[in-house]
Amino acid sequence: MSEILISFSSIIGIADLFIGLFIIYSIINRIFKPTFFKGKFFSSILAIILLSLLVSGIENLIKGIENKPFLFFMTCLSIFILLIIVGFKFIKHRQYSVKQFDIMNGHTFERACADILKSNGFKNVEVTKGSGDFGVDILAEKNGIRYAVQCKRYSNKLDNTPIQEVIGGLAYYHCQKGIVMTNSYFTEPANTLAKVNNVELWDRDKLVKLAFNTNRKNKRNKTEFYKSQNSNHITPAISNERKKELYEFACNINRDYIKKELVEYLTDFLNETSEKIYFYYTEIKEYQIESIDSNFDLENKEVYYYYKLGQGTSFSKIKRTKTELIEYLNSKYIKTEINKERVGTIKIIVPFPERISNLLLNLYN
């Protein structure tokens, strides 16, 4: 009997180690929110170190009971039950990074979207069967409203197709509202169609924001969100002065197709990148920054964004996250500089994407 208890104790002890490591790693992720591989690697190392210290402490506490099989078994079992309770209490939902969304297959992305819905207040979340789902991947409820959700992991902007699909599934599943969730963005016609058909569009920025939320953080940020609607801290769209400069440049272009595409692509890129940078630092990193201006250089093919640093946010913090921001924006490079013209502000330089650079190149060929 003693040998059986010792064997079970050893098995439970090994399980305790793995569960403990997972819990410590998850708590570290919850606190520091590492987004990319480098941060997650250091989180793993820190979790192993903390677990080693914790195990050493527990060994000192239970020293002397190894020769008492029943007491040793009950101690290991109690630690196991405690770890399970802690796991369910603090780690209810998985957390996902930006890069994970982009490499998932379709079914994994659907399950990730279901996890995100659960962690943001949706109830009765159900992933539908793979085929014959009538354009609906997930069914969920919130505040008495039944939602039909379409999940699209895509590399380009989404057109009207997923909106039409989820509209078709609303009646079949007796839902009042539709949602399309994607790791990408939507075209303007898609936004228009969604508005008139009561379909919410959750793009890449919305998805990442929800993925990093906890239920407690949701409650805290609700007040901050409404407060921010009346502030000038949210990064502004391209100013009328910049638009005028861009259109004046376009007037000198003889080829109409280049003129139209250049103005459209560059304007979208300026606005979207500005919003992404602001979102990354204020929501993902939770830094205090305020957008004060933006500019572009057609000759050097670069965009300049200027930010005022708030309390607790230093230039060194911004500089340390440059590599992660490059990955988040899917950019070739990014430069961060102290803005010498104004104290307490920084300048972030982002290169034009390839499609805009090619259009400019074609002007001289």
Side-chain angles (χ1 to χ4, degrees):
M1 184 65 180
S2 297
E3 292 178 356
I4 294 174
L5 285 175
I6 291 173
S7 298
F8 273 115
S9 299
S10 300
I11 294 170
I12 295 173
I14 293 170
D16 289 344
L17 286 175
F18 282 105
I19 296 172
L21 181 62
F22 173 72
I23 290 174
I24 293 172
Y25 174 75
S26 300
I27 291 174
I28 291 171
N29 278 350
R30 181 71 62 82
I31 295 170
F32 296 104
K33 301 182 179 67
T35 311
F36 302 100
F37 175 77
K38 186 177 178 181
K40 290 184 179 295
F41 174 75
F42 284 114
S43 293
S44 303
I45 299 299
L46 181 58
I48 292 171
I49 293 171
L50 291 175
L51 180 66
S52 301
L53 294 173
L54 187 62
V55 169
S56 298
I58 292 173
E59 282 181 348
N60 290 328
L61 288 174
I62 65 175
K63 189 176 289 185
I65 66 170
E66 294 92 340
N67 298 323
K68 301 175 181 178
F70 181 74
L71 185 58
F72 186 57
F73 170 76
M74 290 304 297
T75 302
C76 292
L77 183 61
S78 300
I79 293 173
F80 179 78
I81 293 171
L82 180 63
L83 288 173
I84 293 295
I85 293 171
V86 171
F88 277 106
K89 179 72 176 176
F90 293 102
I91 313 165
K92 288 185 178 180
H93 309 287
R94 290 188 62 190
Q95 297 295 316
Y96 299 94
S97 69
V98 181
K99 283 295 180 183
Q100 282 180 314
F101 291 135
D102 296 335
I103 61 175
M104 289 176 178
N105 61 39
H107 293 302
T108 306
F109 185 63
E110 289 172 11
R111 290 193 293 272
C113 289
D115 281 345
I116 290 168
L117 288 168
K118 289 175 186 176
S119 66
N120 284 275
F122 285 80
K123 307 295 183 183
N124 301 322
V125 178
E126 174 191 352
V127 179
T128 62
K129 58 185 180 180
S131 59
D133 56 14
F134 295 92
V136 176
D137 298 315
I138 300 172
L139 298 171
E141 295 178 9
K142 187 174 184 180
N143 299 328
I145 300 173
R146 187 170 168 82
Y147 289 84
V149 184
Q150 171 76 269
C151 307
K152 287 291 184 183
R153 194 197 66 77
Y154 209 60
S155 56
N156 298 318
K157 283 190 175 183
L158 272 66
D159 58 14
N160 289 339
T161 305
I163 290 91
Q164 292 167 343
E165 289 175 354
V166 80
I167 290 170
L170 285 172
Y172 181 82
Y173 287 104
H174 308 290
C175 296
Q176 291 81 47
K177 292 194 74 172
I179 298 174
V180 179
M181 301 173 69
T182 181
N183 66 316
S184 184
Y185 296 94
F186 297 92
T187 62
E188 199 55 43
N191 280 289
T192 303
L193 181 64
K195 284 179 183 177
V196 298
N197 285 281
N198 205 28
V199 175
E200 295 182 18
L201 300 184
W202 292 8
D203 63 11
R204 185 182 186 87
D205 296 341
K206 171 86 171 179
L207 193 64
V208 173
K209 182 177 180 180
L210 292 175
F212 277 89
N213 277 346
T214 62
N215 291 330
R216 185 172 63 180
K217 185 179 174 184
N218 272 341
K219 292 177 182 177
R220 187 190 72 198
N221 283 349
K222 196 171 184 182
T223 304
E224 294 175 358
F225 172 79
Y226 287 115
K227 191 187 294 182
S228 69
Q229 300 304 295
N230 298 318
S231 74
N232 60 355
H233 290 192
I234 293 179
T235 195
I238 179 173
S239 66
N240 290 330
E241 182 183 344
R242 306 301 176 205
K243 284 181 181 178
K244 183 179 178 182
E245 183 181 339
L246 181 57
Y247 280 107
E248 285 177 354
F249 176 82
C251 287
N252 297 320
I253 301 175
N254 295 324
R255 281 167 282 185
D256 288 337
Y257 83 94
I258 292 182
K259 179 189 300 186
K260 181 180 178 182
E261 290 185 357
L262 179 64
V263 172
E264 179 184 334
Y265 288 165
L266 186 53
T267 302
D268 287 346
F269 174 71
L270 286 165
N271 293 339
E272 288 178 6
T273 305
S274 180
E275 291 168 1
K276 284 181 182 178
I277 293 173
Y278 184 81
F279 170 79
Y280 175 79
Y281 282 120
T282 59
E283 294 294 336
I284 296 179
K285 289 299 180 183
E286 296 185 340
Y287 293 167
Q288 291 187 28
I289 64 169
E290 177 185 346
S291 178
I292 52 177
D293 198 9
S294 62
N295 201 349
F296 56 87
D297 187 335
L298 293 168
E299 184 177 348
N300 293 318
K301 302 181 181 65
E302 293 177 333
V303 185
Y304 309 131
Y305 296 104
Y306 300 89
Y307 295 94
K308 180 182 177 182
L309 301 181
Q311 187 177 6
T313 303
S314 62
F315 175 69
S316 59
K317 274 188 173 182
I318 300 294
K319 197 169 183 179
R320 281 198 299 269
T321 59
K322 187 173 70 171
T323 302
E324 295 180 1
L325 184 60
I326 289 172
E327 290 186 40
Y328 179 67
L329 297 179
N330 194 24
S331 182
K332 292 182 290 186
Y333 67 86
I334 285 174
K335 300 174 187 174
T336 53
E337 301 175 355
I338 294 176
N339 183 21
K340 297 178 181 178
E341 297 175 2
R342 185 169 173 180
V343 177
T345 63
I346 62 165
K347 177 182 179 182
I348 297 178
I349 303 169
V350 183
F352 286 173
E354 190 173 344
R355 63 179 181 179
I356 298 175
S357 297
N358 289 340
L359 285 172
L360 290 168
L361 190 64
N362 288 337
L363 292 176
Y364 308 105
N365 293 335

